[in-house]
Structures are given as C-alpha cells and as structure tokens.
Amino acid sequence: MDINEIRKQFPVLDQQVYGKPLVYLDNAATTQKPLCVIERERDYYLHENCNIHRGVHYLSQMATEAYENARKTVARFINAPESHEIVFTRGTTESLNLLATSLGMLFFDGYRASIPSGCDDHGLSASPSGDASSVGRNDSIKILITAMEHHSNLVPWQQMVQRHGGELLVVPMDDNGVLDIQAYEELLKQRPQIVTMAHVSNTLATVNPIKEMIRLAHQYGALAVVDGAQSMAHLPIDVQDLDCDFFVFSGHKMYAPMGIGGLYGKTEWLEKMPPYQFGGEMVDTVSFEKTTFNKLPFKFEAGTPNVGAALGLETAINFIESFDRQEVAKHEDALLAAAIEGLSKIDGIRFIGQAPERSGLVSFIIDGIHPYDLGTIIDKMGVAVRTGHHCAEPVMTRFGIPGTVRASFAMYNTMEEVEVLVKAVTRASNMLR
Amino acid sequence: MTIKEIQQGIIDDFSMFDDWMDRYAMLIEMGKECPIIDEQYRNDQYLINGCQSRVWLHAELKDGKVYYTADSDAVITKGIINLLIKVFSGQTPEDILSADLSFLDEIGLKEHLSPTRSNGLLSMLKQMLLYAEAFAASTK
C-alpha cells in the first residue's frame, strides 16, 4: 500500500492553506473524493445523463441499468441478500428519517392493519395488556437508543415518540465511552419495539459490540437498526452476519460524492413499511381516488434520484475494494495509535472516549483550553480538525464539557501528518495557556 | 478618543506583528483582559449562543455614553470581544451606530465575524449595536 500513490488520487489534498501544507484530519465529517469518483460522476453528466426507469430510449435504458448496477454493488459490498433491499437516499440522516417516519406509521398509526397475517409482531404484543390491538396506545411505544448517538440517530426517533406519544430509552455508557451492556439488557426487558445504535461513535470512536446487541434486541423482540455512517469506510460490513434489520450509511464519508447514501432493510420489513415520501417513480397506478405503490425498493425512492452520485458511490466502493482492506485498516489504526501516543505527552490532555476498541478518530480536550480556540490556532497551521459538540450534545453533557477537538483519519493520511497534528496542538496549547 | 482614533491605534498595534502567531498571541492577551461581565448578568438572559462558543454581553448608559462588559468561554472569542469593547465602550450611542468597522478587515480578523463561523461574534456585534440603538432611542 503506497500512500503517496493513493494521495495522487486525491488532488484536493495537495494544496496549501495559510501558506502551510493542508493536513486534512476531518474525515469523519466527510472524506475527500478520489479522481476516479470525480471522473465517474463527470462522465455520467458528459455522456450518460438521463432520467431513469421510465424512458424507452437508449440513454434512459443505459442510465437505468447503470443505476441499478450501482445498487447491486452496494448490496454486494455489505452482503445484502437482495439488491431490492438497498434503498438509495441522500445519506444517513435521510435514511434514519425514513425509518423513524415509516416505522412510526407502521407500528403506531394503524398501518398495522396492512401487515400480512402470520408475521412475527416483533414486540408489538409486549404492550402492557399483552393484546396486539392495543398497539397504537401511547404508553406502549418505546424506542431504545444509546447515550452516544449522533443527533441524526436521536432526533428523528425522539420526534417520532413525541408525535405518537411514547418514550425514548437510553443505554448509558461509562467514563471510557463503553456502553453498559447489562443496562442494555435490562432496558430491553421494557420491550422497546426498536433498538437503534451507532456502529462506531462519531465523537468517541467506540466500536460498539453490535452483533451481540442485535442478537439481544431480537431475543427481546425488538427490531435492530445500525447507524453505519462512521464504520462503512473503515470496517467490513456483513448485514447477514450481523443480522440487523436495518443498516444506514452515507456515501460522502466513504470517498463517494455528497448527496447519496443508503438504507438496507430486510425484505419482510421493507415490504410492510409504508412509503413516507410520495410522487413520481414510487407509484404503481394512480387515479384521483387511489394510488398503489411501486415494488421495492422504488416505493421508497420518490422523485428523480441522484443518479450521478449513485454511480460515484459504486466507483468509491470499487476504489475501496481495490486495496487490501485489512492493510488499510492496519494503516489507519497505526495513525490513530501514533496520534494518541503523541498527544498524550501534552500537559492536561484528556481523551474523550477510551474504549478498548476504537476506530478512525481521536477526540480530546486540554485543561483550561476551549476546543474552539485550539481549533482556530491549529487551523492557522494548516491542520483541519473539527471542534465542537460534533452533533452529539448529550455526549458532551455526559462528560461535562463544551466540546472536543476531533482528529479523524482516512487511508490517505500519513504518519508525517500525525506528527504535524501533535506539534500543532502542542504549540497551540502553549500559546493558549 | 474618537472611535476612529481608537481603531487606528489597534491597527498600529497589530501591524507591529508580521506573524499571525504573534497577532493571535496578542488577541489571547486581550481576551484575558476583557472587562468581565458582572456575575449577576452572566445568565441566559444575556447569553448569545454560538454553536461553538458562548458569549455573554451587558451594556449600560452612563452620562450619555455606553459601557459594555462581556465574557466568553473561548479566549480568542473573548479577545475579539475586547477589541470591540475597546472601540465602542465610552462612546455615545450615535457614534457607535455610525462607526465604520473596516478596521477588522485591516487587522485580518474579519473571518471571525463571518456568519459561517458560528462563534456567536456576529450576533454579539449586532447585540452591541442593538444596545446602542435602544439607548439612542431612550435619550431622545
């Protein structure tokens, strides 16, 4: 694995900011895009652009085929059994909103009537009366999330329980940022209908034991949703091995263009779920009186999709797979370990998130120094990190801090860049004290 | 001193430094010397919430002149607040409202007052001017 060769694929990295070489360590927010991805999207608009699925003409058929092939590539990448189980969305946030809205309707708005009989009701009978007809009664709605969720995997569910009445249950974590699995199991006994969790925390870097958590969720009759926004670029994903009911991700955090992402869902659930956006493409037949909906996955893809970005996502997946993924993971882990070792020599540094298993990023604060100040100074040294609450305010509240400084890595980062980070943070903290 | 004279003084101070590090070091020093808001006003009523740093601002009118005090949890933010306080405090509301703020450009700190910075500074500047406007109206 030749990092210099890889970096040539990412022209944006080769620039100076404030007269210093750019050190881009904000990859958890978005990764840079390799030339092949940029070219693929450009190529689509140069030679293939067309609205898909309905056209009888040549270009439309080609574009449709390319788009559906991209779906197959995503399915293969995460080992989904069927490509119709992949719904293209704008990204993780949209996928989670789709889930919270649609599952909210399915479970709590009387859409239940449309569920084919004989389906396992996944905890729905766990309402206090034990009577399935009481589903929809406000006191029976419980969604279990974890204490380390990004706002995107918190607010949609919170709004859902507020809309339907109900309760958000939260799995606590310890001071290292490790979820309390015993408490998790206790909370499952309250029979939540849905459990949703980050695969990797965007603030703490914790890799959660999702396989075990999914198994437990199922044991207590709950559906399991995994937020893979921070894991897709770094860890191999096998949705069949995990046995999650839903898995969501963003393309732009895995070298693909912005504006594309996905939702994997088990067929049996996607079939039952009502669509949440309506319009063209997602319908079967329409009259003024009645509309029937298209089959999977199209019933969840209202309107013209972002075809060019979907093709870019496919290319990004091919790009990731062109490397030995274990070797890439080893390199990224080495960067993370070096950053932690270098930074730990700084007086007063406190790492936020010290789980035994971490991936992709390091979050820290330094005694008496506001993260914003630190980020502002090291920005002037060319180092791009993120400061603030990282859209996870409850995590900050949990640790009693206003925010953290977060450095996050991608395959193209180098040991030299880690050294620049450590030097910059050291110098800035001396200035700010 | 007039607002213009004070601004010129600040420009002169900053122009002594070629290196941005020295300018920021000066800003950090200014942050530490900011006239701190009285504890009784350091509450939500006087809070201007930026996404990244928080700012508290208070103003009072004495003998026809406005005096500001403030605080922030981030010291660079506080340094810039102090710059603005140095320029505005002790001036009449009318002079504050008609002041030209291009000096921030000249000392290379304008980026901190960009709406995209989410540090609360732009809202704070607006709040400073609102105070001046309110005082101007009350003395008419």
Side-chain angles (χ1 to χ4, degrees):
Chain A
M1 191 179 152
D2 183 344
I3 305 292
N4 284 328
E5 280 305 309
I6 292 175
R7 288 180 75 86
K8 284 186 193 153
Q9 279 273 330
F10 294 87
V12 74
L13 297 172
D14 184 24
Q15 65 174 299
Q16 302 216 322
V17 292
Y18 313 110
K20 311 262 165 47
L22 169 68
V23 174
Y24 185 77
L25 298 174
D26 195 14
N27 295 289
T30 197
T31 59
Q32 299 302 343
K33 323 302 174 200
L35 277 172
C36 56
V37 168
I38 298 166
E39 288 296 328
R40 182 68 192 95
E41 201 171 10
R42 184 167 177 270
D43 214 51
Y44 169 74
Y45 285 111
L46 277 177
H47 306 296
E48 301 159 85
N49 175 52
C50 207
N51 212 331
I52 56 167
H53 287 138
R54 295 297 156 111
V56 293
H57 55 81
Y58 177 80
L59 263 192
S60 177
Q61 299 219 3
M62 295 306 281
T64 303
E65 204 170 304
Y67 182 70
E68 290 308 320
N69 277 334
R71 196 190 307 277
K72 284 181 193 152
T73 302
V74 173
R76 181 179 49 69
F77 188 60
I78 61 172
N79 197 28
E82 303 284 348
S83 64
H84 70 240
E85 292 177 312
I86 304 297
V87 176
F88 280 125
T89 64
R90 283 187 292 133
T92 304
T93 300
E94 188 178 38
S95 298
L96 290 165
N97 275 281
L98 189 165
L99 280 179
T101 310
S102 180
L103 289 171
M105 290 193 277
L106 174 68
F107 283 3
F108 312 119
D109 268 0
Y111 268 89
R112 198 180 147 66
S114 63
I115 300 176
S117 59
C119 290
D120 174 13
D121 79 352
H122 270 260
L124 291 175
S125 61
S127 54
S129 65
D131 171 8
S133 67
S134 68
V135 168
R137 269 185 19 185
N138 297 346
D139 59 358
S140 66
I141 302 169
K142 293 191 177 86
I143 307 293
L144 181 53
I145 68 166
T146 84
M148 63 176 76
E149 296 310 317
H150 186 283
H151 292 165
S152 289
N153 199 20
L154 187 171
V155 183
W157 303 108
Q158 177 190 63
Q159 296 303 306
M160 170 199 180
V161 294
Q162 282 175 7
R163 193 181 319 127
H164 299 283
E167 199 183 345
L168 203 62
L169 306 174
V170 184
V171 185
M173 61 180 162
D174 69 12
D175 291 342
N176 290 324
V178 176
L179 290 176
D180 182 342
I181 296 299
Q182 237 178 338
Y184 171 60
E185 199 167 350
E186 281 308 307
L187 287 163
L188 284 171
K189 289 177 185 163
Q190 294 188 38
R191 290 291 184 142
Q193 287 85 356
I194 298 162
V195 173
T196 182
M197 63 200 112
H199 190 180
V200 173
S201 157
N202 77 311
T203 318
L204 307 166
T206 309
V207 181
N208 286 316
I210 53 167
K211 194 173 173 184
E212 173 64 4
M213 290 174 74
I214 293 162
R215 191 189 64 77
L216 283 168
H218 288 161
Q219 191 181 314
Y220 287 90
L223 287 176
V225 180
V226 176
D227 172 357
Q230 293 299 338
S231 62
M232 277 286 268
H234 303 288
L235 307 173
I237 307 295
D238 182 337
V239 292
Q240 291 188 67
D241 178 56
L242 290 171
D243 196 28
C244 52
D245 298 286
F246 302 97
F247 187 95
V248 299
F249 68 94
S250 296
H252 74 94
K253 293 185 201 285
M254 51 181 289
Y255 311 108
M258 290 183 173
I260 191 78
L263 158 69
Y264 156 78
K266 285 182 179 167
T267 302
E268 60 159 321
W269 284 103
L270 291 178
E271 290 284 5
K272 284 180 221 172
M273 287 160 54
Y276 93 125
Q277 284 183 347
F278 306 91
E281 185 70 44
M282 55 77 65
V283 294
D284 181 20
T285 61
V286 178
S287 68
F288 287 117
E289 290 73 33
K290 185 175 186 289
T291 294
T292 58
F293 301 125
N294 203 339
K295 60 184 194 307
L296 284 179
F298 311 113
K299 76 168 179 182
F300 291 114
E301 292 182 4
T304 299
N306 194 343
V307 179
L311 303 186
L313 172 61
E314 177 179 41
T315 307
I317 288 172
N318 292 336
F319 173 78
I320 290 171
E321 289 182 324
S322 72
F323 301 96
D324 177 342
R325 289 200 74 187
Q326 274 187 323
E327 212 182 321
V328 173
K330 227 169 91 181
H331 169 63
E332 289 173 348
D333 288 347
L335 295 173
L336 181 58
I340 292 169
E341 199 201 327
L343 292 169
S344 62
K345 294 181 184 128
I346 296 169
D347 263 356
I349 196 157
R350 178 178 159 207
F351 294 103
I352 305 300
Q354 303 200 60
E357 206 184 333
R358 278 180 273 177
S359 171
L361 62 94
V362 56
S363 227
F364 60 91
I365 53 166
I366 296 171
D367 273 352
I369 298 177
H370 197 283
Y372 177 78
D373 290 328
L374 197 70
T376 301
I377 300 286
I378 70 173
D379 168 53
K380 289 280 176 190
M381 301 178 191
V383 181
V385 294
R386 189 141 296 239
T387 64
H389 54 58
H390 317 297
C391 294
E393 279 185 59
V395 177
M396 302 303 130
T397 308
R398 162 69 179 74
F399 287 96
I401 52 179
T404 75
V405 180
R406 181 187 75 183
S408 53
F409 306 97
M411 64 161 82
Y412 44 65
N413 288 124
T414 65
M415 281 295 175
E416 291 74 32
E417 288 181 310
V418 171
E419 280 169 34
V420 174
L421 166 76
V422 173
K423 269 190 203 152
V425 174
T426 309
R427 202 164 163 206
S429 57
N430 289 337
M431 259 179 95
L432 286 160
R433 261 198 262 264
Chain B
M1 271 204 287
T2 66
I3 287 184
K4 210 156 178 59
E5 286 164 351
I6 299 168
Q7 288 183 346
Q8 193 53 51
I10 292 171
I11 293 168
D12 292 345
D13 284 348
F14 271 85
S15 68
M16 291 193 307
F17 304 116
D18 293 331
D19 187 13
W20 70 267
M21 287 269 289
D22 295 330
R23 289 187 200 183
Y24 271 83
M26 182 161 144
L27 207 54
I28 291 163
E29 280 316 305
M30 290 189 70
K32 291 173 182 164
E33 292 158 9
C34 180
I36 294 294
I37 194 167
D38 194 279
E39 202 50 42
Q40 63 171 315
Y41 302 122
R42 207 177 183 282
N43 58 38
D44 283 355
Q45 198 191 329
Y46 295 90
L47 175 67
I48 299 158
N49 231 333
C51 178
Q52 297 252 354
S53 57
R54 294 183 296 169
V55 174
W56 292 267
L57 178 72
H58 179 255
E60 56 188 348
L61 192 66
K62 266 192 285 194
D63 305 326
K65 288 170 179 170
V66 187
Y67 292 87
Y68 295 97
T69 53
D71 201 0
S72 172
D73 47 3
V75 72
I76 292 173
T77 304
K78 208 151 71 168
I80 294 166
I81 297 170
N82 195 8
L83 265 181
L84 293 169
I85 288 181
K86 274 187 196 304
V87 172
F88 286 153
S89 250
Q91 304 293 336
T92 64
E94 290 74 17
D95 286 348
I96 292 169
L97 289 170
S98 60
D100 172 14
L101 291 172
S102 54
F103 81 104
L104 287 164
D105 231 352
E106 288 192 46
I107 57 176
L109 292 173
K110 201 176 173 222
E111 65 194 55
H112 289 278
L113 283 141
S114 139
T116 57
R117 272 309 266 229
S118 66
N119 52 12
L121 273 174
L122 191 66
S123 317
M124 190 213 57
L125 178 60
K126 281 187 191 148
Q127 192 63 36
M128 286 178 113
L129 298 175
L130 275 178
Y131 269 119
E133 226 168 89
F135 290 136
S138 71
T139 50
K140 263 182 193 147

